[in-house]
Amino acid sequence: MFRAALAICISTILCATSNASGNKIIIAYQTGPDPIEVLIANGEIVKITGRQVEFRRFNSGADILAAIASGDVQVGYVGSSPFAAAASRGLDVKAFYIPSISGTDEALVVRDGSGINSPADLKGKRLSAAPVSTDHYQLLATLKQNGIAEKEATVLPLPQPEIVAAWKRGDLDAAFVWDPALSELKKSSHVLLTSKQVAERGAPTFNAWVASGTFVKSEPDFLKTFAALVAKQNTSFLTDKAAWSEDSANVKTIAGLLGGTPKDQAAALRDLNILPADQQGTDIWLGGGERSGVASILKETAGFLKAQKKTTAVRDSYADYVTAAFVPPLSQ
């Protein structure tokens, strides 16, 4: 059984990890809810690994990748678009676990009364998304899918807190956002398209746990343990709905970490499109090197971003930015 195998995997790696020497490990996470945040909040990651770990919250994947580039962060949770842009610039970073893929946790919302009833109505409107985020990528892809040039709309790349402020001032007609901005904007808007729908129309995205190349080489045991913990939490979320209800200890813990109510965080968690652990090492995602789905999506995303003049280069291959070495085994 996968849960039993994960328990064995974690305990087997634990001794090597806890006995390892090294400096403090900085792990970056974002503002949206995710099952692993329970272990971030309650200290279990530190307890299980026996390492000195600091967790830092960031507003975007682009900010996390900049922190990885500077050496301030070793492990981070990022979206595929900023990841593609960073890899295209040659940042030495590898995806080692894919917690979720395009779902309903990110969405293009339109202001009530804006006159936007279909994607074609975005022409001439004031739109926003966080710069270089998966939302920015999917917003631009939505315009292209509907034959709208970027210059035919006003597209404002803004950090999510600024999007919320601009929305409250009435400066925006639509925005592609994730939580907590998504829940806030929904109070005076409706969803036009979800990330999953945009993906199905040809612009897939994913979220990834990534680590710097140096950290991958120096701390393989820590990454194996961490990946196994992510898999354990995600498997629980997929198989034990009661454990993730608004009344559950898990969701109350996440609300305590991120803010908001347990009811709101439970609803946001249900919008996640969690990728099952048994798909991680397949060619569809992390496995297969050049054939891996992650490498293919990174290359396609980079090509789109270059065409939109959001990045300057596309690499011949993105296989070096993907590893299945830390995917936990499915059986003993």
Side-chain angles (χ1 to χ4, degrees):
M1 204 175 158
F2 183 58
R3 286 188 183 181
L6 271 178
I8 293 170
C9 174
I10 293 171
S11 61
T12 300
I13 299 166
L14 178 56
C15 291
T17 306
S18 60
N19 290 332
S21 61
N23 297 324
K24 178 167 61 176
I25 299 167
I26 310 296
I27 297 178
Y29 64 103
Q30 293 195 45
T31 57
D34 189 272
I36 193 61
E37 289 166 348
V38 173
L39 305 189
I40 290 175
N42 66 16
E44 281 298 301
I45 292 175
V46 174
K47 180 180 178 181
I48 290 171
T49 63
R51 300 295 299 278
Q52 185 181 7
V53 184
E54 179 183 333
F55 301 97
R56 296 181 187 172
R57 189 191 311 177
F58 288 74
N59 286 324
S60 73
D63 291 341
I64 290 173
L65 287 159
I68 290 175
S70 71
D72 290 341
V73 165
Q74 288 75 53
V75 179
Y77 181 99
V78 304
S80 50
S81 180
F83 182 17
S88 297
R89 294 192 300 270
L91 178 64
D92 185 15
V93 64
K94 291 182 185 290
F96 64 90
Y97 201 92
I98 306 300
S100 60
I101 58 178
S102 308
T104 58
D105 55 316
E106 300 175 54
L108 176 58
V109 295
V110 299
R111 183 184 295 279
D112 294 338
S114 64
I116 303 174
N117 299 305
S118 71
D121 296 328
L122 294 170
K123 186 175 181 179
K125 300 298 184 179
R126 299 164 297 174
L127 320 174
S128 189
V132 201
S133 64
T134 53
D135 290 351
H136 193 193
Y137 164 64
Q138 289 199 314
L139 175 58
L140 296 177
T142 297
L143 294 178
K144 183 178 180 181
Q145 289 165 357
N146 289 277
I148 303 171
E150 185 177 351
K151 64 182 179 181
E152 292 181 302
T154 301
V155 180
L156 302 171
L158 298 172
Q160 288 223 129
E162 294 183 26
I163 290 176
V164 173
W167 189 272
K168 290 181 177 179
R169 292 194 303 268
D171 294 344
L172 300 173
D173 299 306
F176 216 129
V177 291
W178 67 91
D179 272 311
L182 180 57
S183 294
E184 182 63 31
L185 268 56
K186 277 183 177 180
K187 295 175 182 177
S188 56
S189 70
H190 60 278
V191 173
L192 184 69
L193 288 171
T194 67
S195 177
K196 183 178 181 181
Q197 289 172 313
V198 179
E200 291 168 348
R201 297 179 184 194
T205 61
F206 59 81
N207 293 309
W209 279 106
V210 302
S212 70
T214 300
F215 194 80
V216 167
K217 294 175 183 176
S218 65
E219 296 282 1
D221 291 325
F222 180 88
L223 289 176
K224 287 178 182 178
T225 301
F226 185 78
L229 290 172
V230 174
K232 177 176 178 289
Q233 290 298 101
N234 286 2
T235 299
S236 169
F237 178 80
L238 290 172
T239 60
D240 187 359
K241 299 303 181 184
W244 299 90
S245 69
E246 64 182 83
D247 297 321
S248 68
N250 284 333
V251 172
K252 289 177 181 177
T253 298
I254 290 176
L257 177 70
L258 300 180
T261 67
K263 181 178 180 180
D264 289 341
Q265 296 297 358
L269 283 165
R270 287 194 296 271
D271 287 337
L272 289 173
N273 192 3
I274 295 291
L275 186 66
D278 61 2
Q279 295 183 28
Q280 294 288 327
T282 67
D283 290 2
I284 299 173
W285 294 105
L286 291 169
E290 188 66 47
R291 302 187 309 277
S292 76
V294 169
S296 297
I297 292 173
L298 288 175
K299 187 170 185 177
E300 291 169 6
T301 303
F304 180 87
L305 292 174
K306 183 180 180 183
Q308 297 292 317
K309 299 182 179 179
K310 306 302 178 187
T311 188
T312 58
V314 178
R315 307 185 76 82
D316 292 336
S317 171
Y318 287 80
D320 288 343
Y321 298 90
V322 183
T323 178
F326 307 110
V327 174
L330 298 178
S331 61
Q332 291 180 234

